[in-house]
Amino acid sequence: MTNNRVRSYGIHIGILPAGKFNAVTDVPGVKVGQVTLEDDACGMHTGVTAILPHGGNVFQEKVPAGVFVGNGFGKSAGIPQINELGTLETPIVLTNTLSVAAGIEGLLSWTLEQPGNEAVKSVNAFVGETNDGRVNDIRARFVSPNHVIEALRRAESAPVEEGCCGAGTGTVAFGFKAGIGTASRKLPESLGGWTVGVIVQANFGGFLTVKGVEVGRQLGGWSNEKLLSQAMPAGWAERVKDAAGSADGSIMMIAATDAPLTQRSLERLAERAFMGMTRTGGIASNGSGDFALAFSTAPSMRVRHEAPYGLLEGGPTVRSDDMTPLFMAAIESTEEAILNALFTAHDTAAYDGGRIAALPRETVLQMLRKAGVLAER
């Protein structure tokens, strides 16, 4: 794991404590595996990130899940059945927009080959995507089903690589090189003791904000004040149009928790992940696909594929009145995960000969010091 995570610079988001790894893998049972495909010679900058809800057969032991769509300009697969039935029955695969089919093929092969699935004839594979075509030669479709299977095989409950790796190898956020980011929060025992972890594939835009400091504006980004001023500067309309276009993109936010939650509660948790995204300055532009999926790893909440007719096992679930701490955990984890994706990324050559610069970390740190929001290391 890189040392450039925001906490290594004294940037602490929110008030809740992080888990051991400060990653989605702090949630019991969750595993992450990644395959990075990178070759400057052929313009390949893409990959696969796989998230396993637990180490067993996910199809036979489905987990409750909920989805929130902030803006639906996206090509993810598997959402309708999750909305209908409230369960996730495969691992989650993240990749680029034109590789969703490869993601589905890989997930299908993986699932059908699991012991106990010999008679399975229908699988709802969940594949999320963002378009990495600014950096990656996306039309070449480098990702294959075998890459997906390899990412699934590599999955482990361990620190997660961030930045330019896996499905984030070619992504860009707020005009800077971004990628995969993750974070987690652990609730005190008095509030349930549960963990919430988030992993993001950041490829979206807006006006970057770090701990309330309008970093994007100070770095030379477009300011809303140009629209509100009485005297419009020459060429303001063209700049507004350019700024709006640069905000297009997408983000996938995957939230996991060991709290025993129903589908409705998980949908509400996914909504809060979106709030974490907006705290970083994201605006969910017209051309952005902003998706959040939340699932519970609680064994008591799993839905067995084979069960006595009409009966579901289960246990107590978290009351709606007790959801607020989990909401806070999801918001804080998502915000920090996005910032980790930016801070851990590096300059990357684009397939067309250009170059996408990473966030100028030291400049941002100077801004935060000046604003008095940077904690001592």
Side-chain angles (χ1 to χ4, degrees):
M1 181 178 288
T2 178
N3 291 324
N4 288 331
R5 309 185 84 196
V6 293
R7 291 199 172 210
S8 70
Y9 295 102
I11 302 172
H12 295 280
I13 303 298
I15 62 173
L16 294 171
K20 177 181 178 182
F21 303 132
N22 193 17
V24 70
T25 47
D26 287 320
V27 178
V30 175
K31 299 181 178 182
V32 173
Q34 303 192 82
V35 167
T36 300
L37 304 174
E38 196 157 31
D39 186 343
D40 286 344
C42 62
M44 181 169 65
H45 301 281
T46 191
V48 179
T49 298
I51 303 104
L52 279 65
H54 59 75
N57 185 328
V58 182
F59 186 87
Q60 295 295 332
E61 292 186 79
K62 310 176 198 302
V63 299
V67 173
F68 177 73
V69 180
N71 192 68
F73 197 103
K75 287 77 183 171
S76 297
I79 290 176
Q81 183 170 309
I82 292 176
N83 285 339
E84 187 70 21
L85 303 182
T87 56
L88 177 70
E89 61 183 31
T90 70
I92 296 160
V93 163
L94 305 179
T95 187
N96 72 63
T97 304
L98 297 189
S99 295
V100 171
I104 294 172
E105 283 293 328
L107 270 176
L108 291 178
S109 295
W110 168 270
T111 301
L112 295 176
E113 291 171 4
Q114 297 296 301
N117 291 352
E118 292 80 7
V120 172
K121 296 182 179 180
S122 176
V123 178
N124 184 47
F126 185 89
V127 182
E129 54 76 33
T130 68
N131 193 313
D132 58 14
R134 286 184 63 184
V135 178
N136 174 52
D137 183 5
I138 193 169
R139 288 173 59 91
R141 289 176 284 177
F142 298 112
V143 176
S144 74
N146 285 336
H147 293 131
V148 176
I149 294 170
E150 181 61 26
L152 291 162
R153 288 175 176 164
R154 292 182 183 180
E156 56 182 346
S157 297
V160 177
E161 184 180 2
E162 295 172 287
C164 306
C165 60
T169 304
T171 63
V172 179
F174 300 104
F176 299 102
K177 187 66 190 73
I180 295 295
T182 188
S184 71
R185 294 294 185 270
K186 181 78 165 63
L187 298 185
E189 293 302 321
S190 61
L191 297 177
W194 297 298
T195 298
V196 175
V198 173
I199 186 169
V200 303
Q201 179 190 19
N203 192 53
F204 65 112
F207 310 101
L208 179 60
T209 301
V210 181
K211 286 189 71 69
V213 179
E214 294 178 321
V215 168
R217 177 186 298 183
Q218 297 183 55
L219 289 174
W222 171 77
S223 167
N224 281 312
E225 291 176 357
K226 291 177 182 177
L227 279 179
L228 302 176
S229 64
Q230 293 296 319
M232 297 296 185
W236 70 270
E238 289 73 20
R239 288 200 291 275
V240 169
K241 182 178 180 181
D242 290 343
S246 68
D248 287 348
S250 293
I251 182 171
M252 293 298 307
M253 298 167 280
I254 309 300
T257 183
D258 57 344
L261 302 182
T262 64
Q263 177 192 13
R264 179 61 191 132
S265 292
L266 288 164
E267 289 173 346
R268 299 178 72 204
L269 195 72
E271 291 173 2
R272 271 57 182 193
F274 192 82
M275 292 181 183
M277 183 271 276
T278 61
R279 280 171 57 161
T280 66
I283 61 173
S285 72
N286 175 72
S288 186
D290 306 298
F291 296 85
L293 179 145
F295 64 87
S296 169
T297 66
S300 64
M301 298 299 295
R302 294 179 190 172
V303 178
R304 290 192 296 163
H305 185 65
E306 300 291 342
Y309 180 76
L311 297 177
L312 282 178
E313 298 176 358
T317 60
V318 179
R319 299 185 313 157
S320 294
D321 288 348
D322 296 324
M323 286 293 296
T324 299
L326 292 167
F327 292 161
M328 290 178 60
I331 293 169
E332 291 183 11
S333 296
T334 305
E335 182 180 6
E336 186 166 345
I338 292 169
L339 295 179
N340 279 335
L342 283 160
F343 271 72
T344 59
H346 54 72
D347 293 359
T348 302
Y351 78 97
D352 60 0
R355 194 167 188 83
I356 303 297
L359 186 73
R361 291 188 292 267
E362 191 52 46
T363 301
V364 171
L365 294 175
Q366 290 175 4
M367 294 176 187
L368 300 183
R369 293 188 191 102
K370 184 177 180 180
V373 300
L374 188 61
E376 294 296 329
R377 295 197 220 182

